Amino acid sequence: MIRLEQVSKVYKTSTRPALENVSVEVDKGEFVFLIGPSGSGKSTFLRLLLREEVPSKGRVYVANFDVARMARRRVPRLRQSIGCVFQDFRLLANKTVAENVAFALEVIGKPRHTIRKVVPEVLELVGLEGKAERMPHELSGGEQQRVAIARAFVNRPLMLLADEPTGNLDPDTSQDIMLLLERINRTGTTVLMATHDHSIVDSMRRRVVELDLGRVVRDDARGVYGVGR
Amino acid sequence: MRASFVFSEVVTGLRRNITMTIAMIITTAISLALLGGGLLVVRMIDKTKTLYQDKVEVSVYLTNDVSSSDNGCVNDPCRTLHSALRADPAVEDVDFENREQAYERFKRIFEAQPELVKLARPEALPASFRVKLKDPDRPEVITQTYGGRAGVDTIADQSEFLDRFFNALNGFRNITFAVALFMAIAALLLISNTVQLSAFTRRTEVGIMRLVGATRWYTQLPFLLEAMVTGLIGALLAIGLLVLAKLSFLDDVLADPISAGVVRSVEGLDILLVSPWLLLVALGVSATTGYVTLRLYVRT
């Protein structure tokens, strides 16, 4: 599903590479934590998968796309197969919950009848049935993140990238969000989650890829946060 | 592509930057109205030129001596001149006007000023040949050939006056175009600025659109259409301004010269013919500016 082959990334403004000779392979349906301190290259890793950046060296494959070499006009196809969730939710404040989710489908040209059918389904999946007409500011942080997850998942992407999705949430709410991500993972969706949250990583016991100064320093099939440092 | 989605995005965008939108529409409208005004002046000049084309005459005035002695142009040098002019290949038609006829015409021209007529005596007016040319643009042929001949006093060429008249009109047109150009630059910068502002206020939306895999057309078309819609409204307003200027101002100011046959009026038809160009220019310029701005300033 994801394959990075000896990928290095050097930003123009920096002499130290953000990623250095990174090779990682993630299979379809896996749940992977990407951990490491700030500046370790987690964000660059995710941005490479979305082709927000292209690697300075090496190859990046996502699904069937040769991400680093694909034509620009095909990038939207790649991104339609990836769902994204962020720490700051990134909801549209002037749209309701349902409209926020529908927006992701409207802008890729899905027909209206499809949108009308799948939006309530995905809102039910994330546990927001009955809140479709609420505005984002009327919701708690956890609920807002559920909306963001619904929006990321509504097009049934092959994989879900989550960048610190629990970074703004309290532990209990974080647990709920993790349960939701697990449920999405069980539908066969690959989940790649960048996080700092020790307790979540320790309790889930999933594969852990740890980055430090742009290098992969650990890749455990059933890891915890603290070991190996 | 979902037309309704794009359309609602455009409307929201225009409403959100309402002050900028209005400024953009006004500058576009003024610059296009000036452009249209310039084009109308061009049309008016062309039409007025054809109006004068068949009227341009060269007057060959005869000396006082000839004027007083030869009333029917039967003696030399008048007779020789007359036949020479008639035989001249550059001349279309020639009429002899003696002193009395000149006086009659003088009275007709100045009938509104009887005191002037009272002062004038037939003896003060010269007899003349009124020469109509085959090619009205080359009156100097007559001046060169007949100036200084026996019996010829002076040769008056109306086209000199007309040239000055048309120069004035051309100057007016050039000034209009120049001001239109400056306004167009202002309009251009405003369009560019508004597109940037619009893209900035909608950066979250655009960010999400890119993230979920919207094509570039989907993310950028709303901005482009916004610029084009304001351009279109500006053009329509400009056409309205031209019609208003014609009805409330031009028709009045030019009423006398028009009825006297000095200039041609600006017809509704003229405005109708100029309008498509204004619309085309507005759409073309706003679309190009919008596109270039998006390319330069907005990440895709």
Side-chain angles (χ1 to χ4, degrees):
Chain A
M1 179 61 41
I2 300 172
R3 199 163 81 241
L4 272 71
E5 293 177 355
Q6 289 155 3
V7 169
S8 295
K9 174 68 188 175
V10 187
Y11 289 105
K12 279 186 198 118
T13 49
S14 161
T15 46
R16 187 180 69 80
L19 286 179
E20 201 173 355
N21 206 19
V22 169
S23 296
V24 173
E25 191 163 350
V26 176
D27 289 333
K28 184 169 165 38
E30 266 194 281
F31 195 118
V32 182
F33 286 115
L34 192 59
I35 65 170
S38 299
S40 59
K42 301 192 297 293
S43 294
T44 302
F45 192 106
L46 296 182
R47 290 169 68 79
L48 284 173
L49 300 180
L50 287 165
R51 214 210 193 235
E52 297 259 12
E53 301 289 348
V54 284
S56 312
K57 246 189 271 168
R59 307 288 284 271
V60 177
Y61 298 95
V62 173
N64 292 319
F65 297 99
D66 183 349
V67 177
R69 300 186 176 189
M70 66 194 297
R72 265 171 70 108
R73 59 182 172 77
R74 294 190 61 220
V75 171
R77 286 243 156 264
L78 164 75
R79 291 184 183 157
Q80 282 176 26
S81 62
I82 306 175
C84 278
V85 183
F86 302 92
Q87 182 174 2
D88 56 0
F89 319 139
R90 299 199 190 169
L91 300 177
L92 300 174
N94 55 350
K95 290 187 191 294
T96 65
V97 168
E99 283 167 355
N100 262 286
V101 177
F103 184 77
L105 296 175
E106 281 169 346
V107 299
I108 57 170
K110 291 282 180 204
R112 200 176 310 206
H113 59 89
T114 310
I115 296 176
R116 236 178 264 147
K117 187 167 146 296
V118 300
V119 170
E121 283 174 9
V122 78
L123 284 180
E124 196 188 328
L125 177 85
V126 301
L128 285 175
E129 59 272 34
K131 301 208 165 162
E133 299 312 315
R134 298 286 188 86
M135 299 305 279
H137 67 88
E138 300 170 331
L139 303 178
S140 69
E143 287 170 328
Q144 290 188 44
Q145 193 59 294
R146 286 168 189 271
V147 179
I149 292 170
R151 181 179 65 194
F153 190 63
V154 69
N155 195 30
R156 306 284 157 162
L158 297 168
M159 79 178 77
L160 191 71
L161 304 185
D163 193 358
E164 307 264 5
T166 59
N168 276 343
L169 304 175
D170 63 62
D172 284 351
T173 316
S174 297
Q175 275 309 322
D176 293 344
I177 294 297
M178 291 318 296
L179 288 174
L180 179 53
L181 290 180
E182 267 200 304
R183 196 188 305 164
I184 283 171
N185 179 233
R186 276 200 299 272
T187 66
T189 310
T190 311
V191 176
L192 182 61
M193 172 171 160
T195 186
H196 285 302
D197 196 325
H198 297 221
S199 60
I200 284 175
V201 176
D202 291 349
S203 67
M204 296 271 292
R205 287 292 180 140
R206 296 298 191 116
R207 181 175 166 192
V208 172
V209 174
E210 183 174 352
L211 291 171
D212 191 29
L213 295 173
R215 292 170 177 276
V216 177
V217 293
R218 180 161 66 110
D219 189 346
D220 285 350
R222 285 181 173 278
V224 291
Y225 200 98
V227 172
R229 318 185 83 206
Chain B
M1 178 141 308
R2 294 260 316 275
S4 60
F5 167 76
V6 174
F7 181 74
S8 75
E9 284 292 297
V10 169
V11 173
T12 331
L14 289 176
R15 287 230 307 261
R16 188 148 25 183
N17 298 325
I18 188 74
T19 47
M20 280 298 273
T21 305
I22 291 171
M24 205 158 110
I25 289 176
I26 290 174
T27 38
T28 312
I30 292 175
S31 107
L32 286 171
L34 287 169
L35 176 67
L39 291 175
L40 286 179
V41 171
V42 171
R43 289 187 64 82
M44 199 173 94
I45 291 174
D46 285 350
K47 286 202 300 181
T48 309
K49 265 188 180 154
T50 57
L51 182 76
Y52 279 110
Q53 208 92 86
D54 43 280
K55 282 192 189 165
V56 171
E57 284 180 344
V58 177
S59 300
V60 179
Y61 292 107
L62 301 176
T63 54
N64 194 30
D65 194 25
V66 179
S67 300
S68 57
S69 63
D70 196 354
N71 231 345
C73 196
V74 285
N75 303 317
D76 279 340
C78 185
R79 196 168 51 117
T80 340
L81 275 172
H82 199 180
S83 47
L85 279 168
R86 258 194 299 229
D88 197 310
V91 173
E92 165 112 12
D93 196 18
V94 55
D95 276 326
F96 175 72
E97 187 184 66
N98 65 25
R99 207 161 235 185
E100 279 70 39
Q101 288 163 332
Y103 182 61
E104 289 309 310
R105 205 158 59 92
F106 183 85
K107 283 202 289 192
R108 224 177 30 249
I109 293 172
F110 294 104
E111 63 187 349
Q113 287 136 290
E115 58 284 357
L116 198 67
V117 176
K118 232 183 278 170
L119 279 173
R121 293 279 164 270
E123 300 81 61
L125 296 168
S128 64
F129 291 112
R130 313 199 76 80
V131 181
K132 224 164 125 189
L133 297 172
K134 285 211 173 93
D135 181 0
D137 289 338
R138 306 190 52 230
E140 65 278 2
V141 178
I142 301 297
T143 326
Q144 280 160 13
T145 321
Y146 299 96
R149 282 246 208 147
V152 175
D153 185 23
T154 51
I155 296 176
D157 172 9
Q158 287 178 347
S159 67
E160 270 172 42
F161 164 73
L162 284 179
D163 276 351
R164 247 177 293 152
F165 178 61
F166 285 125
N167 277 344
L169 281 182
N170 280 332
F172 180 66
R173 176 202 62 192
N174 290 344
I175 290 169
T176 319
F177 278 149
V179 179
L181 187 72
F182 278 113
M183 286 304 289
I185 292 171
L188 220 79
L189 293 176
L190 269 173
I191 292 171
S192 169
N193 205 329
T194 313
V195 168
Q196 285 178 63
L197 193 69
S198 195
F200 182 76
T201 49
R202 259 186 282 171
R203 61 197 182 285
T204 328
E205 270 102 327
V206 173
I208 292 165
M209 285 166 98
R210 292 176 46 219
L211 216 56
V212 299
T215 57
R216 213 179 69 205
W217 273 114
Y218 246 101
T219 38
Q220 302 198 341
L221 197 64
F223 301 113
L224 219 56
L225 285 178
E226 249 176 72
M228 288 173 77
V229 165
T230 36
L232 193 70
I233 296 173
L236 293 175
L237 219 61
I239 294 165
L241 280 174
L242 288 180
V243 172
L244 201 72
K246 171 188 154 49
L247 293 181
S248 69
F249 162 74
L250 266 187
D251 282 359
D252 277 352
V253 168
L254 293 180
D256 286 342
I258 288 168
S259 63
V262 176
V263 291
R264 279 289 174 86
S265 64
V266 174
E267 308 284 346
L269 181 71
D270 292 322
I271 296 179
L272 200 70
L273 286 173
V274 164
S275 301
W277 292 108
L278 297 187
L279 288 170
L280 214 66
V281 167
L283 288 179
V285 167
S286 55
T288 317
T289 316
Y291 185 76
V292 170
T293 308
L294 286 172
R295 266 304 164 88
L296 291 181
Y297 298 104
V298 184
R299 256 195 83 185
T300 53

